[in-house]
């Protein structure tokens, strides 16, 4: 019998080489799993029904590799992708592992570090485009401080703006059809990271010279670490036309960046996110990659890694089916139907002296409205019953 929740490339599920390739190292313990060959990862993801694989430059090409070795590695990887039908929709640069970046990359006080970060990123962009990437992510994991007196925060912002403007012009100069997606995180590995939330990134983008090329890559764990609603952050990015990529995973609030299997800690929030991305309430479906920036628990062996990958995709598809059922539920549709008021509709959407006068003259019974129940308790209970399989 066919599995309703078996992933297919049409679902556009992607994983990073660094996610399913995570060897289980953490600040308090060594790796527990062997390193996986990138070509083996690609073949396995193809078998599992994934759409694509994403990478940092050094996930594939070791830091400092010769040009000949780089070309040999890339050629073999491209062959594995083609044989497995796996795409490379997104690429990014590792600007956080090498000690040169220990006090930042684009924001470092040393201009030679900033130049090296630009050099490495241009090479990473060339690699990503060569592999077919359409989106280039920037996660500034080292762009931050522990000792706040080390630089004026305005200098950090100006340096990152210079780097983004420079790299957008590089992409245009090369004729690449590539968009940038900026990923926020509030802290870890730095004490405080600049641009800590998606909201900060959305403002920053509007200060760039080529802002139309730049969007955001919100991550579940990162907005949750900041104590924010991920659904609201994604909704704002979508409304601004700036949701260029998304990092799906799971997170308990008030913890380190856990990057757990999608839905593992927060099925209700995951349900609401899938509902938003899939547009089951009647809005347009978001067509980007459903990228899992997550990794298996350190308790797992390699077989457990593939359990993790299957679980991410399966949970997403189960929640998609439940969101479709929820929004098709007649009682839900009745409860969230747009409230209409012929006396008011049309008055609020744009200013005119006439509209102002008519709004001023409205007789609104605030006490009667204040006493009215909204029935959100009933709505949320229905959501829970769909989620728990009781409806
Ligand atoms: C961490 O959440 C970051 C890095 O894994 C990578 O640069 C980016 C792309 O998903 N997410
Ligand atoms: Mn993370
Ligand atoms: Mn991420």
């Amino acid at each position: 019998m066919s599995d309703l929740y078996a992933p297919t490339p049409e679902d556009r599920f992607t994983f990073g080489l660094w996610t399913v390739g995570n060897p289980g190292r953490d600040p308090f313990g060594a790796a527990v799993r062997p390193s996986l060959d990138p070509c083996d990862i690609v073949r396995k993801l193809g078998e599992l029904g994934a759409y694509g694989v994403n990478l940092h430059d050094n996930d594939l090409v070791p830091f400092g590799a010769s040009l000949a070795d780089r070309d040999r590695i890339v050629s073999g990887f491209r062959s594995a992708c083609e044989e497995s039908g796996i795409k490379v929709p997104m690429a990014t640069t590792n600007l956080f592992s090498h000690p040169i970046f220990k006090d930042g990359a684009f924001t470092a006080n040393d201009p030679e570090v900033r130049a090296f970060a630009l050099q490495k990123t241009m090479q990473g962009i060339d690699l990503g485009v060569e592999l077919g990437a359409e989106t280039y992510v920037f996660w500034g994991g080292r762009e931050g401080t522990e000792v706040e007196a080390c630089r004026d925060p305005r200098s950090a912002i100006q340096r990152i703006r210079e780097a983004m403007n420079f790299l957008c012009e590089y992409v245009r100069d090369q004729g690449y059809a590539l968009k940038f997606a900026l990923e926020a995180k509030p802290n870890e590995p730095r004490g405080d990271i600049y641009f800590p939330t998606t909201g900060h990134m959305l403002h920053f983008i509007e200060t760039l010279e080529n802002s139309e090329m730049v969007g955001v890559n919100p991550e579940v764990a990162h907005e949750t670490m900041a104590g924010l609603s991920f659904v609201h952050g994604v909704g704002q990015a979508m409304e601004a036309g700036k949701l260029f990529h998304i990092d799906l995973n799971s997170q308990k609030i008030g913890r380190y960046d856990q990057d757990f299997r999608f839905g593992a800690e927060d099925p209700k929030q995951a349900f609401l996110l899938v509902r938003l991305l899939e547009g089951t309430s009647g809005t347009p479906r978001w067509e980007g990659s459903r990228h899992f920036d997550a990794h298996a628990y350190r308790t797992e062996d390699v077989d457990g890694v593939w359990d993790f990958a299957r679980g991410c995709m399966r949970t997403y598809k189960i929640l998609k089916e439940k969101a479709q059922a929820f929004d098709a539920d007649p009682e839900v549709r009745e409860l969230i139907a747009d409230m209409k008021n012929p006396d008011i509709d049309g008055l609020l959407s744009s200013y005119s002296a006439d509209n102002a006068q008519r709004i001023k003259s409205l007789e609104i019974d605030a006490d009667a409205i204040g006493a009215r129940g909204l029935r959100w308790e009933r709505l949320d209970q229905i959501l829970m019953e769909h989620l728990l399989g009781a409806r």
Side-chain angles (χ1 to χ4, degrees):
M1 187 180 84
S2 72
D3 176 2
L4 274 177
Y5 309 115
T8 68
E10 288 67 40
D11 296 313
R12 278 195 73 117
F13 291 133
T14 61
F15 291 84
L17 284 178
W18 71 93
T19 68
V20 290
N22 182 300
R25 190 177 298 112
D26 69 23
F28 305 99
V32 295
R33 295 184 285 266
S35 295
L36 300 182
D37 181 291
C39 296
D40 292 338
I41 289 176
V42 164
R43 283 187 275 271
K44 186 65 178 179
L45 289 177
E47 285 170 28
L48 295 181
Y51 169 78
V53 69
N54 302 320
L55 68 149
H56 299 83
D57 49 351
N58 297 139
D59 296 336
L60 182 66
V61 180
F63 187 96
S66 69
L67 200 52
D69 282 347
R70 178 256 186 226
D71 290 347
R72 175 182 49 77
I73 292 166
V74 171
S75 170
F77 184 73
R78 285 184 68 171
S79 301
C81 290
E82 283 153 19
E83 288 154 20
S84 307
I86 287 286
K87 304 290 185 196
V88 183
M90 181 272 273
T92 181
T93 329
N94 185 321
L95 294 177
F96 44 86
S97 294
H98 193 283
I100 188 174
F101 299 126
K102 61 190 175 187
D103 191 33
F106 298 132
T107 61
N109 288 5
D110 181 344
E112 204 169 1
V113 174
R114 302 203 296 271
F116 186 76
L118 275 179
Q119 179 188 92
K120 195 170 193 284
T121 303
M122 285 188 282
Q123 290 164 350
I125 287 172
D126 294 343
L127 171 62
V129 169
E130 187 177 339
L131 292 170
E134 298 146 352
T135 305
Y136 205 81
V137 161
F138 291 79
W139 171 63
R142 297 286 180 198
E143 311 294 9
T145 57
E146 291 79 37
V147 177
E148 195 49 46
C150 75
R151 71 179 69 86
D152 185 311
R154 292 163 294 186
S155 304
I157 292 167
Q158 286 152 14
R159 290 170 186 167
I160 286 203
R161 181 180 296 118
E162 281 171 6
M164 287 297 115
N165 287 338
F166 188 101
L167 291 165
C168 281
E169 286 299 333
Y170 176 72
V171 164
R172 292 179 58 168
D173 203 22
Q174 297 297 312
Y176 294 154
L178 196 67
K179 295 202 290 190
F180 289 174
L182 308 187
E183 178 174 347
K185 186 176 180 183
N187 59 69
E188 190 198 28
R190 298 308 301 266
D192 285 291
I193 296 179
Y194 299 118
F195 306 105
T197 73
T198 295
H200 289 82
M201 288 295 191
L202 287 170
H203 167 267
F204 172 62
I205 288 166
E206 295 313 311
T207 72
L208 299 176
E209 288 163 8
N210 296 284
S211 58
E212 75 289 348
M213 290 175 60
V214 188
V216 289
N217 175 42
E219 178 176 308
V220 174
H222 300 176
E223 302 295 305
T224 304
M225 283 169 73
L228 301 175
S229 161
F230 189 65
V231 167
H232 288 186
V234 171
Q236 184 169 354
M238 291 171 96
E239 200 275 338
K242 289 292 184 181
L243 186 66
F244 286 10
H245 198 265
I246 196 166
D247 275 1
L248 302 174
N249 53 29
S250 189
Q251 174 76 25
K252 267 193 183 126
I253 196 164
R255 306 303 205 276
Y256 65 94
D257 185 12
Q258 295 177 309
D259 293 343
F260 286 161
R261 185 183 75 256
F262 181 64
E265 288 302 330
D266 52 1
K268 182 176 179 181
Q269 289 310 312
F271 168 88
L272 291 164
L273 174 63
V274 170
R275 180 171 182 249
L276 184 67
L277 295 176
E278 294 299 327
T280 56
S281 67
T283 55
R285 179 180 187 272
W286 183 70
E287 297 300 337
S289 297
R290 273 70 174 154
H291 174 238
F292 298 106
D293 186 10
H295 54 76
Y297 302 126
R298 190 165 182 263
T299 53
E300 301 309 292
D301 60 10
V302 175
D303 288 343
V305 167
W306 305 123
D307 288 340
F308 149 80
R310 287 188 195 93
C312 285
M313 297 186 283
R314 191 173 177 81
T315 295
Y316 188 101
K317 292 198 77 163
I318 292 167
L319 292 175
K320 176 179 174 181
E321 183 187 69
K322 289 183 177 297
Q324 288 166 334
F326 174 74
D327 281 304
D329 188 316
E331 196 174 347
V332 168
R333 299 173 76 91
E334 183 209 336
L335 282 166
I336 59 174
D338 283 344
M339 293 174 74
K340 299 287 184 197
N341 183 323
D343 297 335
I344 293 179
D345 294 346
L347 279 187
L348 311 180
S349 52
S350 60
Y351 178 81
S352 69
D354 180 48
N355 282 354
Q357 202 45 54
R358 289 172 62 188
I359 290 169
K360 279 181 154 183
S361 61
L362 286 171
E363 289 184 18
I364 296 172
D365 184 342
D367 293 337
I369 294 171
R372 200 182 299 158
L374 280 295
R375 303 209 66 206
W376 294 157
E377 278 289 350
R378 177 66 185 147
L379 178 63
D380 197 63
Q381 178 61 24
I382 294 172
L383 185 157
M384 290 308 295
E385 292 181 10
H386 276 279
L387 200 52
L388 298 173
R391 185 175 173 106

